[in-house]
Every structure is written in structure tokens, then in C-alpha cells.
């Protein structure tokens, strides 16, 4: 594998996940009543308890899903439908524009099809929610609010949100909070119990489990309208045969990530800072998100994000790819057409500024040599990308 700097997209399968998969293969359906079914149920219960402990939740609060996207859809739609069903005035969804598409597009779908009213919570230049603005929005008309949804950490800029403070504010206003902790869980300390959130999404493949397993943590006193109907599994909130093998792998890597969190966070932030020190001072480069040196506690330890004036993020990505480094621009590409990141636009950047974005995310396979090799290559490639951008703008 070439030096891989795209761990936020997915991180390679961890050996502990592989062992859990092998150890749990051949299990029956955990809903079956025979002995094999009961053994599968026991294995599922044990894995669920381990996953819950790693996330600071009670096992009964864990609703297994196919990943983060499903968990976010279930939380946003499920809370909206439930709350609106209880009181038709509750049409507002409060959210910052930096949310992942799994939340943003779900909320927009509810706006188009289910009469939801989206209210954007402003964020500052670093991409952090402005608490006072949120307080004002919460106070405006609490009876009209269906839910608030604020991610724990942003997948592009790594900015960590003040979730616990937001949780307290939402509790005082009497409205449920959903938090998308897909990037935060396993990377920084995350406790569902202490967050004050009613629901929280996590995903396996971001921490070394296979793609296809995730969870929505739902507080026991919170009601959700199910999105998916069927056999009534997972407290009747998410029907479908439980993926015991995936759950066992998720529990194994979650436990491992939480146990090694402080050491790994220190190692990755040191390597990240090395890259920041190389690219930060280059002409035309702006580090985005909270400053990795001055406010390290405000951003994910494995994330570096920057924009380069006059360069195209995609061309930088391809140049890095040609040089053997896997990176990301962080923003979505629809049918091959690069779009400026909605996250950077929500932070107040112009389309022009947002265009030259690059995200480098480190993880458990990242070695010192990989970072040194990238540190050596980056200045030349950034320069080349700037020249290419300049040449392209002259042609226009
Ligand atoms: N939320 C965030 C913040 C993410 O970064 C991602 C994945 O990129 C998701 C949700 C979606 O998770 P999954 O890939 O498990 O569906």
C-alpha cells in the first residue's frame, strides 16, 4: 500500500477485527431459538456490551446499523417524525452547514418532502459552532424545534465541536440533540452518557472494522420513529438480521482504539504537526480549522487541512497520487465535477479560496517514514499545483 493519508475516508482493517471475524464465523441467526441461535445471541450481547462500554453508553442504548450514513438517517428522520408526530408545530431542524452529507442531505430531504424548516447554526472561521448564536436560535421558539444536530468532529477540517455544552443547552431548552461522532469516536475521548445527546452515530470502518457496520446510540428515554421495518430487531428501531460478525469486529477495534487513545493521539498529532510545520509557512498556503499548534484540543489529532491560493485541490491530489501518496480534497465530487467544499463555504471562504483544498489524515498504519517522505514531497507539489492553476487561469 502506498503511503496512505486518507484514514478519515476509511482506515485499513485492523488485525483485531480480522481475528474477531474469524472467531465469530459460522454463527447462527441470533434471533433463532435453538442452541446455535442462543450461542450467537450470547456472542452478540457480549460484543454489544464491549462496544457500549467503549462509547460510554449502556448496552441497551446501542442500535446496530450498516454504518454512519444509516445511523445519521435514522437519527435525523426518526427524531423528526417522532417529535412532529407528538406536536405538529415542531418543524425546525437546527444544524450547522458543516455537517456531513449523511446529516445535511437527510435534513434537506425532510425539508423537501416532510415540511421541515432548516435553521443554520453559524460557525466561525475555524469551523466551530458559535455557541451564542445557537443559544439565540434555541430561545427563539423552542416549541417549534424538532431537533438539533451537531457533529462531534468535522471530517474535512477536523474541528471539534463543543458537544457537551450544546448538549446542556439543548437539555435546558427541552429539545433532543443528535451528534454525528463518526470521525471523533476512537480518535478523541467520546462518552455518550456525558455528551447530553439523545442520539449519537458511530461507524466501524473509520476505526479498523470492515465497512458495513455502525451504530446509533439512542438514550433509553428517547423515542424514534423507525425508518426501516421488518422483524423488530434492535428495540424495534432498526429491523434486519443482526450482523454479529461485524458487531464483534466493531467491538474489538472500538475497545482497542479507546485503550490506546491517548498514546496514539499524541503520536499522530506529533506526526501531523511535522506536516503542518512544513506546509504552514509556504507562500499561499493557509491551514484550515483550529490551529494545530495553538488549539490542538480543538481539532482531531490525525487531521491536517489546508488550502493553496490559486491551486486546484484535485490537481494537487493527482500530483500527490502520481508521487505515490494517497490524499483527499475533502469535498465531494459529483459525476466527476469537482465542487468547492460546502464545509469551507459554511466557514465563510469564497469559492475561489475553497478550491485549492487538501486534507491529510493519518492513522494506525502511518509510520514516521511515510510522513517524512510526504514532508519532502509536499513543497514541490504545492508549487507545481500553483503553477498549473496559474497557467489554467491565464488560458481562461
Ligand atoms: N459522518 C461523518 C462525519 C463521516 O465522516 C462519514 C464518512 O465519511 C459518515 C458520516 C458516513 O459514514 P459511513 O461511511 O459509515 O456510512
Amino acid at each position: 500500500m502506498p503511503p496512505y493519508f486518507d484514514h478519515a475516508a476509511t482506515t485499513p482493517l485492523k488485525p483485531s477485527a480480522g481475528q474477531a471475524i474469524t472467531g465469530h464465523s459460522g454463527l447462527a441467526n441470533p434471533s433463532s431459538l435453538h442452541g446455535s441461535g442462543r450461542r450467537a445471541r450470547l456472542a452478540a450481547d457480549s460484543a454489544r456490551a464491549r462496544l457500549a462500554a467503549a462509547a460510554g453508553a449502556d448496552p441497551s442504548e446501542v442500535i446496530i446499523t450498516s454504518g454512519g450514513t444509516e445511523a445519521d438517517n435514522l437519527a435525523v428522520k426518526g427524531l423528526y417524525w417522532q417529535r412532529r408526530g407528538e406536536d405538529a408545530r415542531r418543524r425546525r431542524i437546527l444544524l450547522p452547514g458543516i455537517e456531513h452529507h449523511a446529516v445535511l442531505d437527510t435534513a434537506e430531504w425532510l425539508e423537501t418532502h416532510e415540511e421541515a424548516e432548516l435553521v443554520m447554526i453559524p460557525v466561525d472561521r475555524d469551523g466551530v459552532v458559535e455557541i451564542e448564536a445557537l443559544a439565540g436560535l434555541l430561545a427563539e421558539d423552542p416549541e417549534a424545534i424538532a431537533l438539533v444536530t451537531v457533529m462531534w468532529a468535522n471530517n474535512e477540517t477536523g474541528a471539534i465541536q463543543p458537544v457537551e455544552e450544546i448538549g446542556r443547552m439543548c437539555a435546558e431548552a427541552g429539545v433532543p440533540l443528535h451528534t454525528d461522532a463518526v470521525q471523533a469516536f476512537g480518535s478523541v475521548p467520546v462518552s455518550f452518557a456525558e455528551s447530553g445527546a439523545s442520539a449519537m452515530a458511530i461507524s466501524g470502518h473509520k476505526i479498523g472494522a470492515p465497512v458495513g457496520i455502525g451504530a446509533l446510540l439512542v438514550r433509553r428515554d428517547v423515542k424514534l420513529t423507525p425508518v426501516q421495518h421488518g422483524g423488530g430487531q434492535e428495540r424495534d428501531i432498526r429491523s434486519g438480521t443482526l450482523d454479529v460478525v461485524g458487531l464483534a469486529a466493531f467491538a474489538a477495534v472500538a475497545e482497542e482504539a479507546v485503550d490506546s487513545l491517548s498514546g496514539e493521539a499524541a503520536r499522530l498529532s506529533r506526526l501531523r504537526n511535522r506536516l503542518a510545520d512544513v506546509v504552514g509557512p509556504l507562500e499561499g498556503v493557509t491551514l484550515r480549522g483550529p490551529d494545530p499548534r495553538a488549539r490542538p484540543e480543538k481539532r482531531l489529532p490525525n487531521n491536517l487541512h489546508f488550502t493553496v491560493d490559486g491551486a486546484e485541490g484535485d490537481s494537487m491530489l493527482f500530483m500527490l497520487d502520481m508521487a505515490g501518496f494517497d490524499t483527499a480534497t475533502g469535498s465531494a465530487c459529483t459525476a466527476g465535477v469537482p465542487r468547492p467544499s460546502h464545509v469551507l463555504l459554511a466557514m465563510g471562504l469564497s469559492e475561489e479560496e475553497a478550491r485549492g483544498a487538501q486534507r491529510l489524515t493519518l492513522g494506525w498504519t502511518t509510520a514516521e517514514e511515510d510522513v517524512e517522505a510526504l514532508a519532502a514531497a509536499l513543497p514541490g507539489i504545492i508549487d507545481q499545483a500553483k503553477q498549473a492553476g496559474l497557467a489554467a487561469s491565464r488560458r481562461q
Side-chain angles (χ1 to χ4, degrees):
M1 193 169 192
Y4 184 70
F5 290 92
D6 197 17
H7 287 266
T10 197
T11 199
L13 198 76
K14 281 194 166 169
S16 58
Q19 282 153 18
I21 291 167
T22 314
H24 289 81
S25 60
L27 283 177
N29 187 325
S31 296
S32 295
L33 298 178
H34 44 65
S36 302
R38 293 197 300 277
R39 275 192 292 284
R41 172 61 55 191
L42 278 177
D45 288 349
S46 146
R48 186 188 301 275
R50 291 166 65 199
L51 179 63
D58 188 87
S60 65
E61 295 173 322
V62 178
I63 306 297
I64 295 301
T65 66
S66 62
T69 302
E70 189 195 332
D72 281 331
N73 270 264
L74 177 56
V76 176
K77 288 182 183 156
L79 283 171
Y80 179 79
W81 283 327
Q82 179 69 35
R83 298 261 304 158
R84 183 108 203 268
E86 288 166 5
D87 184 338
R89 286 175 303 174
R90 296 172 177 159
R91 291 176 42 226
R92 281 192 194 162
I93 302 177
L94 272 52
L95 75 171
I98 58 164
E99 290 296 303
H100 188 273
H101 283 294
V103 167
L104 205 54
D105 291 22
T106 303
E108 284 171 1
W109 185 89
L110 288 171
E111 183 182 40
T112 308
H113 299 281
E114 297 286 325
E115 299 175 327
E117 183 193 336
L118 306 195
V119 179
M120 295 325 247
I121 311 168
V123 297
D124 64 18
R125 271 305 269 196
D126 285 342
V128 178
V129 162
E130 290 184 356
I131 284 291
E132 279 172 20
L134 173 60
L137 294 173
L138 281 171
E140 231 166 66
D141 188 4
E143 281 77 33
I145 302 173
L147 67 136
V148 176
T149 176
V150 176
M151 67 201 317
W152 200 301
N154 184 264
N155 45 297
E156 292 184 29
T157 64
I160 295 174
Q161 308 301 323
V163 171
E164 290 179 11
E165 203 176 344
I166 296 171
R168 275 194 298 278
M169 291 162 70
C170 289
E172 270 168 32
V175 298
L177 167 69
H178 167 59
T179 184
D180 173 344
V182 165
Q183 291 292 337
F185 180 55
S187 184
V188 290
V190 164
S191 164
F192 180 55
E194 285 167 25
S195 70
S198 295
M200 178 171 109
I202 53 177
S203 173
H205 73 105
K206 306 292 184 181
I207 61 169
V211 175
I213 187 83
L216 183 68
L217 310 182
V218 184
R219 240 178 33 215
R220 270 164 299 179
D221 59 340
V222 170
K223 287 204 187 107
L224 271 187
T225 302
V227 170
Q228 184 165 309
H229 302 90
Q233 291 91 343
E234 301 298 280
R235 277 167 55 191
D236 218 0
I237 293 177
R238 198 272 191 177
S239 284
T241 301
L242 183 62
D243 175 6
V244 186
V245 176
L247 171 55
F250 194 10
V253 294
E255 214 165 45
E256 190 183 335
V258 169
D259 286 349
S260 61
L261 194 142
S262 62
E264 187 62 353
R267 184 182 82 87
L268 295 179
S269 60
R270 186 177 57 77
L271 295 173
R272 186 271 314 275
N273 289 353
R274 164 83 179 113
L275 294 171
D277 290 347
V278 169
V279 295
L282 299 175
E283 207 190 315
V285 171
T286 310
L287 299 183
R288 300 293 176 185
D291 189 299
R293 288 275 183 204
R295 302 168 78 200
E297 74 291 351
K298 295 278 183 211
R299 66 179 300 137
L300 294 175
N302 71 329
N303 167 297
L304 185 69
H305 186 285
F306 57 91
T307 55
V308 180
D309 292 347
E312 288 289 340
D314 279 17
S315 67
M316 221 167 352
L317 184 149
F318 291 127
M319 288 172 191
L320 285 159
D321 189 24
M322 295 292 284
F325 301 100
D326 295 332
T327 68
T329 59
S331 66
C333 176
T334 309
V337 182
R339 296 248 185 93
S341 146
H342 71 280
V343 173
L344 298 179
L345 298 183
M347 285 159 60
L349 273 71
S350 64
E351 292 207 357
E352 195 66 27
E353 287 173 301
R355 207 170 276 160
Q358 204 65 196
R359 178 187 74 180
L360 308 173
T361 50
L362 288 59
W364 69 278
T365 59
T366 309
E368 187 113 27
E369 314 75 275
D370 300 334
V371 170
E372 285 311 319
L374 182 59
L378 270 170
I381 288 175
I382 288 173
D383 203 42
Q384 238 179 301
K386 277 198 289 198
Q387 303 301 330
L390 202 65
S393 69
R394 281 206 194 106
R395 277 198 300 275
Q396 277 169 6

